[in-house]
Amino acid sequence: MAANKDGNQSGNGSGGFFSSIASSLSNFGSAMSKSVNGLLGYEGLEVVNPEGGNEDAGAEAQRGRWKAEDRDNYWKMMQKYIGADITSLVTLPVIICEPMTNLQKMAELMEYSYLLELADECEDPHMRLVYAATWFISVYYALQRTWKPFNPILGETYELVNHAGITFIAEQVCHHPPIGAAHAENEHFTYDITSKVKSKFLGNSVEVYPLGRSRLTLKKSGVVLDLVPPPTKVHNLIFGRTWIDSPGEMILTNLTTGDKALLYFQPCGWFGAGRYEVDGYVYNSEEEPKILMTGKWNESMSYQPCDLEGEPLPGSTMKEVWKAADAPKNEKFQYTYFAHKINSFDTAPKKLLASDSRLRPDRSALEKGDLSKASSEKSRLEERQRADRRTREAKGDEFKPKWFNLSNEICPTPWGDLEVYEYNGKYHEHRSAIDSSDHVEEADAKTIEFNPWGYEDSVVA
C-alpha cells in the first residue's frame, strides 16, 4: 500500500488514515498472534513472530532474553499496568537496557548528515525534500534495536563533536513527563527537537506515540521543514523475541513553500511480508506528486521523477539516495559503528560537562557487562534524583534547564499537545569560551564524576 497519490491525507495523520492503520494492525494481530495458552495467569497474552504464523506461538513465547523466573516475576508486576501510559510510571530492570541514554539516541540521527549537505546545496526544492526525508528515515535502522535506553536524569546532557563539523547538545529538561531537547548545527543546517512520547502498555507489547516537535532549517535556502513521524509498536516485551515495527505515515512539510513528502511505513504482515518497506511521494504545494520514493528503512531508499498520476516519467530511472552502512556482526546490543562513536569519549569535546551521559556509572557498568553494578548504580541515581527533587521542593525552587528555555509555543501533534523548548544559544557561548581559551586544563574525561544535580547537599534518605 503506497501513500495516496492525491496527496490529500490529513497533515496531522489523523482521521480515516489511522482508522485504516488500526484495522490492518487488528487483522495482523488476529492472523499472526496467539494467546499463550496452557500457562496459568497468562490467558490472553499475545506473542507475535514476524517470521512465522500462529502455529508456533507457544514455542516463540519461551524464547527471548528473559530467564523464566525473571520473566514470570516481571509479568506479575506489570500486568496491573495494562492499558496505561507507562512512560514514567514504571522502573524498568537493567536486563532490558542498552548502555546508552535517550539523549544519546537522539544524536544517532546525525550519522548520515551528509544527506543534509546535499539538501542544502540542492537547487531543486523537491529533491531537497527527498534528501531531508531520507535523512529522517535513516535513523530507523538504529531505532529497530530491541534494547531500551536509560531514561536521563533531570539536567543530564549529551555533547557530540568531531562529526561532520556538527555541534550537538541535548538536555533532559523535564522529568515528569520525561522530555528531552536537542540542538544540532553545522554550516549547512540547524536541527531542533523537543522530544516527548506517550505509550500504551498492552501486556506483551507497547505502543509508543511521538509527541515531539522536530524542525530542520537548511541554511542556504532558508527553508524550514517540520516532521510528523509514525508511531512505533514494540512486540514481545516479556514473552518471545522482542521486535519493533513503525507502521504508519511520515509527513515532512516545507513550512516555507507548502511542499511536502508523504511516506507510508508498511506494517509487518504474514511471514514478514512488507516489513521495513517505505513508499510514497514528494508533492508540490498544489499537492501534485513530483517524485516517487521507495525502499526499506533498514537498507536503502531510492527515488524517481513521476507524472501527475504518480507513475514514473518515461525515460527516467530509479536512483538510490541512501544505503545503510555495514554494521558489526554478532553485536550484543545491535550497535552500529556510529553508535559506538556516540558512546566513545573520542566524540566528546574538551572540558566535557559533568552532566554528560557518557559519565553515568550505570551506563558504564552495563557497557562493561557488569549487570549487578549497573542495576545498583541505576537505583542509586534514581534515588538521588528523588532526593534532589525533595530539596528543590523544600526550597521552593523551580528547575530551569541550562541550554534550553521553555517557550510560549504549544505544538499540536496527532497524539496530544506539546510544550516546546527552544535552544537559548548559551551552549555555543560556553563552548566558544572554552575553545578560545589558552588555559583549559586537558583532564581525562573518563575521570569526571557524573553530576547533573541541582544541589550538592541533596542527601539520599
Side-chain angles (χ1 to χ4, degrees):
M1 175 182 175
N4 189 336
K5 289 184 293 185
D6 297 335
N8 291 328
Q9 295 181 19
S10 169
N12 64 6
S14 59
F17 176 78
F18 276 101
S19 296
S20 66
I21 290 295
S23 175
S24 63
L25 285 175
S26 175
N27 293 335
F28 167 64
S30 61
M32 291 194 58
S33 60
K34 184 177 180 182
S35 297
V36 187
N37 296 322
L39 296 176
L40 187 63
Y42 305 122
E43 294 82 3
L45 196 68
E46 289 188 339
V47 176
V48 181
N49 180 0
E51 300 166 353
N54 63 2
E55 69 279 354
D56 67 346
E60 178 64 32
Q62 302 304 320
R63 302 185 181 115
R65 66 176 64 114
W66 295 84
K67 295 180 181 178
E69 181 180 354
D70 293 336
R71 176 196 65 197
D72 296 345
N73 289 337
Y74 190 62
W75 168 242
K76 290 175 183 176
M77 180 188 78
M78 289 297 295
Q79 55 186 315
K80 64 184 177 181
Y81 294 109
I82 290 178
D85 182 349
I86 60 170
T87 305
S88 57
L89 276 179
V90 181
T91 299
L92 298 171
V94 167
I95 191 174
I96 68 170
C97 292
E98 62 176 326
M100 183 181 286
T101 72
N102 276 320
L103 297 180
Q104 293 174 282
K105 197 134 185 173
M106 292 166 71
E108 286 197 75
L109 183 56
M110 298 299 119
E111 178 169 6
Y112 299 99
S113 58
Y114 72 86
L115 290 165
L116 297 186
E117 180 178 348
L118 294 173
D120 187 47
E121 297 291 345
C122 182
E123 298 294 334
D124 184 333
H126 305 120
M127 278 304 302
R128 283 193 203 118
L129 279 172
V130 170
Y131 292 126
T134 301
W135 181 65
F136 281 112
I137 290 170
S138 70
V139 77
Y140 280 82
Y141 184 94
L143 296 183
Q144 71 177 320
R145 292 203 299 266
T146 57
W147 305 88
K148 183 191 178 302
F150 286 100
N151 286 336
I153 300 296
L154 184 63
E156 185 174 330
T157 58
Y158 177 74
E159 301 175 83
L160 173 70
V161 297
N162 301 331
H163 174 69
I166 294 169
T167 299
F168 179 96
I169 178 68
E171 182 176 13
Q172 190 72 2
V173 295
C174 185
H175 181 56
H176 284 298
I179 301 176
H183 174 85
E185 185 171 356
N186 71 2
E187 62 180 319
H188 293 288
F189 72 92
T190 59
Y191 170 70
D192 290 278
I193 182 172
T194 300
S195 178
K196 175 185 176 183
V197 299
K198 79 175 187 179
S199 63
K200 185 177 182 180
F201 181 59
L202 302 175
N204 201 35
S205 64
V206 62
E207 294 175 347
V208 181
Y209 306 99
L211 274 71
R213 192 196 76 162
S214 297
R215 289 285 168 86
L216 173 66
T217 301
L218 299 176
K219 290 188 173 180
K220 186 175 181 179
S221 64
V223 301
V224 179
L225 307 179
D226 178 80
L227 178 75
V228 177
T232 292
K233 188 169 185 179
V234 184
H235 297 268
N236 299 353
L237 280 174
I238 305 171
F239 293 87
R241 292 167 293 183
T242 305
W243 62 283
I244 296 174
D245 203 15
S246 295
E249 190 179 47
M250 171 186 281
I251 305 171
L252 182 63
T253 303
N254 185 329
L255 299 178
T256 307
T257 66
D259 300 340
K260 68 180 176 181
L262 195 156
L263 299 163
Y264 181 67
F265 285 53
Q266 300 277 2
C268 178
W270 185 262
F271 289 100
R275 190 178 182 190
Y276 310 116
E277 292 182 8
V278 182
D279 58 3
Y281 296 91
V282 171
Y283 299 92
N284 63 17
S285 58
E286 284 75 41
E287 299 190 338
E288 299 169 333
K290 304 299 290 184
I291 301 177
L292 165 70
M293 295 182 65
T294 186
K296 293 187 175 182
W297 52 257
N298 69 329
E299 291 182 6
S300 65
M301 289 297 297
S302 299
Y303 70 95
Q304 188 171 6
C306 66
D307 60 23
L308 295 181
E309 297 301 317
E311 299 299 327
L313 288 178
S316 67
T317 58
M318 187 73 71
K319 295 182 179 180
E320 186 175 82
V321 65
W322 163 78
K323 184 176 181 179
D326 291 336
K329 304 296 183 183
N330 303 316
E331 167 69 37
K332 177 179 179 180
F333 295 107
Q334 304 164 297
Y335 274 10
T336 62
Y337 290 108
F338 188 74
H340 282 291
K341 287 185 178 181
I342 292 288
N343 262 345
S344 171
F345 285 91
D346 292 339
T347 55
K350 59 184 179 181
K351 198 156 184 171
L352 181 69
L353 293 171
S355 49
D356 193 87
S357 296
R358 297 175 183 83
L359 303 172
R360 286 182 59 140
D362 51 355
R363 189 212 62 78
S364 177
L366 183 60
E367 188 175 39
K368 295 173 182 176
D370 191 338
L371 204 64
S372 177
K373 183 177 181 180
S375 182
S376 63
E377 289 290 354
K378 179 174 179 288
S379 297
R380 183 180 68 82
L381 289 179
E382 289 168 347
E383 183 52 45
R384 175 67 188 270
Q385 181 168 228
R386 287 188 281 269
D388 209 54
R389 186 191 69 237
R390 289 192 293 268
T391 301
R392 181 175 297 107
E393 291 173 349
K395 292 176 177 288
D397 290 345
E398 180 180 351
F399 173 79
K400 291 184 179 180
K402 289 184 179 179
W403 315 115
F404 298 85
N405 296 334
L406 179 61
S407 73
N408 294 322
E409 181 180 357
I410 302 295
C411 176
T413 79
W415 305 281
D417 291 341
L418 171 74
E419 295 178 320
V420 176
Y421 284 81
E422 294 179 335
Y423 175 63
N424 59 23
K426 293 180 180 179
Y427 179 77
H428 276 75
E429 297 173 7
H430 162 79
R431 186 53 54 201
S432 295
I434 292 175
D435 291 342
S436 62
S437 174
D438 297 329
H439 305 289
V440 176
E441 296 182 7
E442 289 289 342
D444 184 356
K446 296 178 183 179
T447 65
I448 301 173
E449 183 179 356
F450 179 61
N451 182 13
W453 316 114
Y455 306 97
E456 292 298 332
D457 59 346
S458 293
V459 294
V460 177

